[in-house]
Amino acid sequence: MEFNHKNNAKVLFTKEKIGQYWNDLYKHVATCLDYHFILRLESSAKIITENFPKDAKILDLGCGAGVLSERLLAAGFSVDAADMSADMRELTTQRLAKFDANKYKIFHAECEKLEIADSTYDLVACIGVFGYIDDVDKALSEINRVLKPGGTFIMSIRNEDNRNIFDLANLFKFVFYKLPRKIFKTLTPTKAPHTSNPSGPGPGTATPLANKFFIDIFDRPKDVIKLINQFNFSAIEFYGLGYGPLQFNGKTLLPETMAKGMSRMLSSVVRVCRLEKFTKWVADISIYVFKKH
Ligand SMILES: C[S@@+](CC[C@H](N)C(=O)[O-])C[C@H]1O[C@@H](n2cnc3c(N)ncnc32)[C@H](O)[C@@H]1O
């Protein structure tokens, strides 16, 4: 079985498909998911603006329609915005036209083979890009290479465990089937099963191809951190944003306005009760901050 996420992404991120959606979604918060993407944009921008000096060398890799670059430029930073899609770069060009042209560059780049010198950037941000990449190992090695020693890599994807908790079908399966089986297994010791690969499957999400890593659009934070830490990075922070929507077998149970309201309400409760360090593991959007060794 061959991966073809990249080819799918090449078709998806065009004017004919969802390019315009990614350009406009931050203006019209129609769905619960739109709301979560707004939270992600605001948080990523905040993490960067509050922790980096204005002269930091920043690459917004997989910049899409340039929404993060726009926030950074508005805050007084300079930024390089890069994407493999010509249509997305065109949207970025339109969006950034209002800024001083000396403060930004827009260029073609593919994460797996960056035509950028070693140790160029203090920060590489990759928001919503992993999940479309087949050669995760190449992309992580390239990002590591173009970062300066001690440089920062910020990436974001969605969290599989949010779906496990907020999809009631998954929740019931877990409570009434998986959990009892787990408990039964721990209470009844058995002989270790024979496996042809004694070290078990590779780290991170199990992949269908030997020696290949994969990060999915939805993935589990523990797996993602473990995987990326192997590429000369150390995870230093992890944030979780937005909860739900409530579903049953993938079908949304609430109208979007209620789902949005529920997510907003849960986010406020979490903030007021200072529960972030527990709830981030089941929130919809994960933002990871890694340091290059
Ligand atoms: C979901 S959009 C996110 C865009 C933007 N970062 C944001 O947060 O709005 C993903 C973007 O990543 C780009 N992309 C996907 N795979 C890529 C790759 N291998 N190299 C460079 N860009 C890629 C797509 O063209 C698309 O613009």
Side-chain angles (χ1 to χ4, degrees):
M1 179 180 161
E2 273 298 335
F3 290 132
N4 58 8
H5 300 87
K6 186 164 190 178
N7 286 336
N8 290 345
K10 282 188 172 163
V11 175
L12 267 181
F13 293 102
T14 54
K15 280 182 194 155
E16 293 73 30
K17 296 281 183 176
I18 59 171
Q20 201 62 39
Y21 166 82
W22 282 95
N23 186 56
D24 296 343
L25 95 97
Y26 301 94
K27 288 184 245 162
H28 317 292
V29 188
T31 66
C32 180
L33 183 56
D34 294 350
Y35 170 60
H36 292 179
F37 284 143
I38 288 276
L39 291 180
R40 170 162 85 178
L41 172 62
E42 282 168 0
S43 278
S44 324
K46 189 163 179 266
I47 294 166
I48 299 170
T49 53
E50 288 183 356
N51 292 289
F52 287 84
K54 292 279 187 313
D55 62 352
K57 282 278 290 168
I58 300 176
L59 174 63
D60 179 6
L61 183 56
C63 61
V67 286
L68 178 63
S69 293
E70 178 185 38
R71 297 281 175 122
L72 299 179
L73 285 162
F77 288 80
S78 297
V79 66
D80 287 356
D83 202 288
M84 71 174 180
S85 155
D87 285 356
M88 299 312 282
R89 292 197 305 276
E90 195 182 316
L91 291 168
T92 298
T93 306
Q94 288 164 15
R95 185 180 294 273
L96 303 190
K98 58 186 178 249
F99 296 104
D100 175 354
N102 295 316
K103 298 283 278 180
Y104 66 90
K105 269 190 270 166
I106 301 168
F107 55 88
H108 169 265
E110 306 207 2
C111 298
E112 304 84 344
K113 196 170 184 340
L114 297 171
E115 285 167 19
I116 295 170
D118 297 0
S119 306
T120 300
Y121 292 103
D122 297 297
L123 165 68
V124 175
C126 235
I127 307 299
V129 183
F130 279 81
Y132 299 105
I133 295 175
D134 298 332
D135 280 310
V136 164
D137 34 3
K138 271 196 195 156
L140 289 173
S141 305
E142 280 293 85
I143 290 167
N144 194 283
R145 180 182 67 73
V146 302
L147 276 169
K148 294 177 185 170
T152 304
F153 171 43
I154 297 183
M155 68 84 88
S156 173
I157 52 165
R158 296 179 68 197
N159 182 355
E160 177 66 25
D161 282 336
N162 177 68
R163 287 202 301 198
N164 289 334
I165 298 267
F166 288 95
D167 189 314
L168 298 182
N170 288 338
L171 189 63
F172 291 154
K173 213 184 290 165
F174 178 75
V175 172
F176 295 111
Y177 178 69
K178 288 188 184 164
L179 189 63
R181 265 172 66 103
K182 242 184 184 173
I183 294 171
F184 180 73
K185 270 192 181 164
T186 37
L187 293 178
T188 51
T190 50
K191 275 192 203 162
H194 172 77
T195 56
S196 52
N197 176 4
S199 58
T205 306
T207 68
L209 287 182
N211 302 324
K212 243 188 151 177
F213 301 105
F214 185 61
I215 295 176
D216 214 338
I217 291 179
F218 289 88
D219 220 320
R220 304 189 66 218
K222 281 208 169 106
D223 293 336
V224 173
I225 290 171
K226 193 170 159 197
L227 191 161
I228 296 183
N229 276 348
Q230 290 176 82
F231 286 82
N232 202 24
F233 285 109
S234 293
I236 56 162
E237 197 48 271
F238 161 57
Y239 304 87
L241 312 164
Y243 303 91
L246 208 57
Q247 296 184 323
F248 192 86
N249 245 345
K251 290 211 172 73
T252 310
L253 293 178
L254 299 173
E256 287 297 344
T257 40
M258 281 178 75
K260 235 184 334 175
M262 192 187 98
S263 178
R264 200 172 269 148
M265 190 195 69
L266 285 175
S267 303
S268 305
V269 172
V270 163
R271 202 172 36 249
V272 170
C273 301
R274 297 172 184 251
L275 296 173
E276 289 93 343
K277 70 168 180 249
F278 307 108
T279 56
K280 64 185 181 181
W281 299 99
V282 294
D284 182 23
I285 304 283
S286 307
I287 302 183
Y288 305 89
V289 183
F290 293 91
K291 270 253 175 285
K292 172 175 171 169
H293 289 162

